[in-house]
Amino acid sequence: MTQPFEDLFAFLRFPSVSTDSRHADDVRACADWLLAKLADLGLATELHETPKHPVVVARNTHLPDRRTVLIYGHYDVQPVDPLHLWTSDPFQPEIRDGRIWARGATDNKGQMLAHVLGVEQTLRENGELPVNLIFLFEGEEEIGSPNLAAFLHQQRDALRCDVVAVSDTGMVAPGVPTLGYGLRGILCCDAILRGPKCDLHSGLFGGAVANPAAAAARLLASLHFTDGRVAIDGFYNSVRPLEDWERQMWSEVPGVSDADFLQVTGSPSLFGEPGYSSAERVWARPTAEVNGIGGGYQGEGSKTVLPAEAFIKLSFRLVPDQSPLDIMQQVTRHLVSHCPPGVTVEVRPGHDGKPYLTDPNSKFGLAAQAALRTAFHAEPVLIREGGSVPIVQTFREILGADTLLLGLALADAQIHAPNENFPVENFEAGIRLNQALLNELAR
Ligand code: BES
Ligand code: ZN
């Protein structure tokens, strides 16, 4: 195996699952490995403690009169369960059918390491980089980056840059270079519905008191109209409408037709807000999603119980100019006012992040397009993203820099799911892309 793959495999073997405290040592060991790799390249490295997982920073020697580029990524990964659905061990990477299979292969270790190895390659070829470079890698992206904004504030001067580059988003189809110019924001929350003081025999008490699980179902049903629109009062008030040029441009993007969405998801049919294509619904319209629902008996067979409580877990994807804070107020008001009689509801806000939108044809956007063209020998497409990388808008607010989203994640990469994978060709293209990008940004 060649060195880039040795490096990637070593990186992927760390089970750096940020949400699981049993993996805290693995997250740290992964950060230490990364730090050593960056130091090996001759970069000045720093490991910064946070209340949870460390931030890794590395930079070359900065010279005046050169652009400063900050490359961000995350070395933490999502949990692997359900483990039995993986064809191979999520933390013993394998190459099969031209793809690297492991948790984090695409999201985000493969994509971020490509930048590191691109820098290594350029240093080997030229002895120096064309720009002032800052690598900023965190271990908490998958849990909503709870400590990164404070870190940016604290390190504001040291992290000052002209532009940010991130490879942690999607690529519409194999071989089609993709520049993202928008991200949806996110708001997560939980609610607990409580009824009787303890679980009750459903024969002795059913009919006399409300059932929290049934109430949870009613409450969830109240979130949408039957046609798919979100039914929360005011939810769409500050949504910026799609531009005609975007709709026109997106209708020609390969790999994201309604038929493609059907095929990739395996759903029996598509469903969503009327009047929009699947790509438009995902990239530019806000949603309310049920991520989890629970309560009552979950075991084998039946158990005649009226559960004392039930829970729901929700997330909302937000678009410009929705504000997570405003939406949280609307959601709370909605859940409280739609709570069925006979139960109480306690709403607990979770993490959030603002949406992001920039101009794909800005000076730096054009440089990114040129780099994508060089790395892939094809014309780039311009899209927004349905996923969220909440720190991107924070970069703009704290560092004053816009972000180039150079995504290498394919729709079937199975990120956050069993059998996550990253095509070997995307890894190699990512290395070339980093080299081309720094050259273009230096101009
Ligand atoms: N890399 C993803 C986001 C992504 C993937 C954007 C593909 C566009 C295309 C990132 O690691 C992620 O999963 N983000 C979370 C954010 C949340 C945990 C705050 C998300 O979008 O759910
Ligand atoms: Zn992720």
Side-chain angles (χ1 to χ4, degrees):
M1 209 161 41
T2 58
Q3 196 58 47
F5 290 89
E6 298 274 4
D7 284 340
L8 180 56
F9 275 39
F11 194 26
L12 289 169
R13 281 191 197 103
F14 293 97
S16 50
V17 182
S18 49
T19 193
D20 187 342
S21 54
R22 290 170 303 181
H23 281 299
D25 290 346
D26 299 314
V27 179
R28 182 161 298 267
C30 188
D32 288 338
W33 179 89
L34 184 58
L35 201 74
K37 175 71 204 175
L38 294 163
D40 257 5
L41 307 193
L43 303 178
T45 58
E46 303 155 22
L47 185 81
H48 294 270
E49 295 299 333
T50 76
K52 219 174 211 153
H53 305 305
V55 175
V56 173
V57 176
R59 63 186 87 222
N60 61 344
T61 305
H62 287 197
L63 304 176
D65 309 325
R66 271 199 327 195
R67 290 249 164 78
T68 301
V69 180
L70 186 150
I71 297 179
Y72 162 84
H74 64 94
Y75 64 88
D76 63 322
V77 298
Q78 286 275 329
V80 297
D81 37 315
L83 186 57
H84 71 277
L85 293 181
W86 286 78
T87 303
S88 54
D89 188 320
F91 298 113
Q92 293 302 330
E94 279 183 14
I95 298 184
R96 298 189 307 272
D97 308 323
R99 292 179 181 225
I100 303 146
W101 301 81
R103 170 56 86 231
T106 283
D107 186 10
N108 175 234
K109 288 175 175 173
Q111 296 191 74
M112 68 154 272
L113 196 70
H115 281 285
V116 174
L117 301 184
V119 164
E120 181 173 39
Q121 183 72 22
T122 303
L123 289 172
R124 198 179 304 125
E125 287 166 6
N126 302 341
E128 61 164 4
L129 299 174
V131 298
N132 298 333
L133 176 73
I134 303 171
F135 275 134
L136 170 65
F137 299 132
E138 71 157 320
E140 302 185 339
E141 195 274 346
E142 299 291 8
I143 52 173
S145 304
N147 297 300
L148 197 57
F151 178 78
L152 295 181
H153 269 297
Q154 179 210 326
Q155 295 284 319
R156 220 182 116 129
D157 291 330
L159 297 177
R160 201 168 291 284
C161 56
D162 297 295
V163 64
V164 179
V166 177
S167 290
D168 192 22
T169 52
M171 177 169 172
V172 294
V176 181
T178 304
L179 178 65
Y181 62 95
L183 290 161
R184 285 198 290 188
I186 189 166
L187 165 67
C188 298
C189 72
D190 291 2
I192 303 184
L193 292 100
R194 296 194 176 87
K197 64 184 177 194
C198 62
D199 284 5
L200 301 174
H201 188 294
S202 64
L204 272 58
F205 297 101
V209 296
N211 182 319
R218 275 192 189 286
L219 195 50
L220 289 180
S222 76
L223 290 173
H224 297 91
F225 298 114
T226 50
D227 68 359
R229 280 175 305 129
V230 176
I232 296 170
D233 218 23
F235 188 72
Y236 293 100
N237 280 358
S238 40
V239 170
R240 224 189 280 181
L242 261 154
E243 307 263 359
D244 288 340
W245 66 267
E246 288 184 293
R247 301 188 87 165
Q248 172 56 34
M249 178 172 76
W250 292 351
S251 70
E252 286 163 20
V253 171
V256 297
S257 68
D258 286 357
D260 291 314
F261 271 87
L262 256 187
Q263 196 253 324
V264 164
T265 61
S267 276
S269 63
L270 297 171
F271 179 72
E273 194 184 357
Y276 297 94
S277 70
S278 296
E280 290 167 352
R281 286 169 177 168
V282 171
W283 295 344
R285 300 296 298 169
T287 61
E289 295 296 337
V290 183
N291 301 132
I293 169 168
Y297 182 60
Q298 310 279 327
E300 193 180 338
S302 55
K303 177 172 189 263
T304 47
V305 67
L306 195 164
E309 56 182 47
F311 69 86
I312 57 178
K313 288 178 180 283
L314 307 176
S315 65
F316 301 84
R317 294 287 167 170
L318 311 179
V319 301
D321 298 303
Q322 287 178 302
S323 130
L325 263 151
D326 289 351
I327 300 293
M328 189 63 231
Q329 284 182 354
Q330 293 174 3
V331 169
T332 305
R333 221 177 288 133
H334 180 98
L335 294 176
V336 170
S337 65
H338 287 74
C339 181
V343 300
T344 61
V345 62
E346 181 194 343
V347 184
R348 298 194 296 208
H351 63 76
D352 62 37
K354 292 178 188 163
Y356 177 75
L357 188 61
T358 187
D359 173 9
N361 294 313
S362 68
K363 172 179 66 177
F364 294 132
L366 291 175
Q369 291 180 41
L372 285 162
R373 215 173 275 126
T374 304
F376 287 93
H377 313 290
E379 197 49 35
V381 296
L382 311 178
I383 68 163
R384 297 206 227 164
E385 289 287 355
S388 307
V389 184
I391 204 65
V392 166
Q393 175 61 20
T394 314
F395 284 142
R396 178 187 270 162
E397 288 170 11
I398 299 177
L399 304 179
D402 267 8
T403 296
L404 305 167
L405 300 163
L406 303 146
L408 302 172
L410 292 180
D412 64 355
Q414 311 263 113
I415 62 174
H416 295 206
N419 299 315
E420 180 173 350
N421 63 85
F422 191 41
V424 166
E425 60 174 321
N426 283 26
F427 182 49
E428 291 171 338
I431 295 172
R432 294 195 300 272
L433 177 60
N434 168 271
Q435 298 191 271
L437 180 70
L438 297 192
N439 281 331
E440 292 294 338
L441 291 176
R443 279 182 214 276

